[in-house]
Amino acid sequence: MSSFKLCPSFRLACLALVCLPAAPAVLRAEAPTPVSVLGHAPGDDFYLADYEDTVRYFHALAASSDRIKLFTIGKTSEGKDIEIAVISSPKNLAKLDEYKKIAGRLAHATDLTDEQAHELARTTPVIVHIDGGLHSDEVAGPQHTMPLAYKLVSTQGDPQVDAILDQVILVLWPTLNPDGQDRVVHWYRQNVGTKYEVSPMPWLYQEYVGHDNNRDGYMMNMKEEQVVVKTQLDFSPAIFYCQHQTAPFPARIWIPPFSDPISSNINPLVRSWLNLIGANMTAYLNAHDMPGAISESRFDNWYAGFTDWAHVFRNEISFFTETALYAYATPHFYTVRDFPKEYQDLRALSLYTTPWEGGWWHLKDAVNYMVGGSMSVLDLAAKNRETLLYNRYQAAHNNIEHFRKEPPFAYVISSRQSDTPEAALLAQKMIDNGLDVYASKEGFKANGVAYPAGSWVIPMDQPFSALAKELFERQKYPDAIENGTSKAIDLPYDVTGWTLPLQMGVNVDAVTDPLTQQERAAMAKIDKAAVPDATVDGVGTTFAVSHRENASFELVNAALATGATVSVAQEPVKTAFGTETGAFVIGGVSRAAIGELAKKYAVPAVGVSAPAKALPLKKARVGLYRPWMASIDEGWTRWVLQNYGFAFTSVYNADMRAADLKSRYDVIVLPDMSAKQLTDGFGAGVVPGEYAGGLGEDGLENLRAFVREGGTLIALNKTAGALIPLMSLPVKNVLDGVKSDKFFCSGALLRVETEHAEQPVNYGVAASPVVMFQTGPAFETQPGFHGAVLARYAKETNPLESGLLLHPEAIEGKAAALELAYGRGHIVLFGFKPQFRGQSHATYKYLFNELYVFDHPALPAEPAAVPTAKAEAKPAKAAPGKPVDDEDDMLPQ
């Protein structure tokens, strides 16, 4: 944004950054050391403190000092208390609430002139967030918080520490993921000293999302991320620093600057500070004899949803570092011969100024590097406190002024949508992210268009509105990378497109004309995005509910749980949104009871006569495969199903290998995972025996029998591609084996066209929905295919809606989802993630529609001969249960 300018004081800050090693300091004897409380020093070989140990130490430290206060700020997914420490001088802690309010005023530029902001910045300590990380197998992070706290609380007579305590208020989180710290530590403790000492843990370190807890930054589906954002909005830190592992080998720590690209929606002051903090940290570590810092390398921060990055759109200087890790608390020795060839000459580089020369690497080394990194940030903040605070004000002020002059001037989410509860949820996400949202009154107009009362308006002349722009606009990956299509590429690091209105199926309008005073008067600020009251109309004794709203599935599942009957109309039926084929029809329930459900789930119902043609639904016995080589997508699927009231059973390897699956399940869901995860899992000797292996040939044969006997098998994304050879399906994955110079899509939003809308899996799905494609398959049907293409990429049309897609011609005209008959059952293959990270609400119905028992309508093709068990068990050119390269050889015999 051209209106933003760097202030002169920012340039002066560059002169006051690196702190050389301080003179020996005096320690306060009464402050307990970690070893005195825990019996071990954090960083000791073969020892890890769990969350309870860490909190116990912080409580002991707080009992001994007036430099630290502890706060309980929320609950984890498993119900643990989340505790944080606030560390500063006693005089700063005595005025903590006042300083939080001032930090909030500066962050919002609330009723301040430049002069007033300067004065507040001059007289107020700066708040800094540092945490022990959220990826719990990156174990050094939580361990480092204890020696860091001890150093700050106990040290006397050290000018550096004194300045930090006087100028900075540190908000120190032992970890952002207490549940995960306990899971990982307890797993290590039971294995340390055995042959499984460095074995990977066979379950996710966050109950639902594992590593994706750092992909939930703006959506805040998980309780931990909700607590993080709420606390950031409460404390308004100028800096947010998150600890990670591991660095690109052989570097010992990765430090910003990030690799390009970076979003232009981030304020330039924030972008500049990120680079400055990184350069300062490298110099600090070098000055303290900690070599091996590297920058840029493989980490970009294009994706807006990283928990440790999303705060930049609220003008926080938010970043992470990656410190080297071997495994848990087990040390390892490296020689230069272990290094990648290009690093074996130990040559200094511009962004790898002091190469590491190898040797032992202990957990203590990682802890020391993290303490050094944290101290460098605190030292910088102390020396540049006034500039940091004033820049925080400037960023907010400039953002407000920019959007008073430049479009978009606002975004409007109409309350008249095909799925109004989803529209309300999108508006609520903006509120929860700290944005001001308004409800329109009667007569509200924008761009000359009248909107119904109760629509949601997000004016852009507010301090954090860059986040709304980042989430609502289509992502366009930079041309410099997009045009380099003739060679394979490694970046981007994560998905490249995430436009929330497209993912959620909500229409959002950008306002290109300035809001007039009259228009502003026709809206009122809200704290909660309320859905219009849902009613029951009509006079019939059965009740029709639209299939278009996701919340309808919650209502249907609740109705089934009470004993109601549910069917899907096979002819037009009146709903609250007009006539609809595929509407849910609910019977055996009173008008009062359906009224309570309608009110609870904000889903209107209409009393109708029972339709002549209807497809009865029953609750299905759903099995969700849960591999020991844990799948993040399984966790997300589990979370989504729980939130919508679907009952299911987690199915482990032993269950899958047990015969007669059909006697226990009607539907089995295979979430996204690699073929290795699915078939092989962990190898023998890698983990304790009960966690080794995948489905194996017994499990695969049981799956084949399950479908032949009438079951429904659903496969998501990469798993769908893996099933083609494993099940001898007459389908080809056209992307199998294709390199990134011929097709590349690490994650982008693509548009598909619905085919065979009469198939129940497509009920309620839009005619042209947008799906999240993330390194999945695309399909061509082969001779003998008996089924239906459910969704297809358009022919000779680039399907890209948001993000980066190289060589779209590889998938144009190909199938994105299909359903095929297999014996008496059905297999449904999705070449995308219909429930991607709890964000792609518009495609949830693809999955939900298959989670009931119903008589499938006839599929539109001549049936092919079902392969015999023998042919399936030993596919051509493959060992049993293994994929083959030539899928044409896998057609049914």
Side-chain angles (χ1 to χ4, degrees), residues 125-143:
V126 62
I127 299 176
V128 173
H129 164 113
I130 295 177
D131 62 63
L134 70 171
H135 289 160
S136 300
D137 57 358
E138 300 165 5
V139 296
Q143 309 302 309

Side-chain angles (χ1 to χ4, degrees), residues 759-782:
Q759 292 299 314
V761 68
N762 275 330
Y763 286 161
V765 176
S768 185
V770 171
V771 303
M772 175 57 80
F773 183 99
Q774 189 182 28
T775 63
F779 309 111
E780 277 184 347
T781 61
Q782 302 291 290

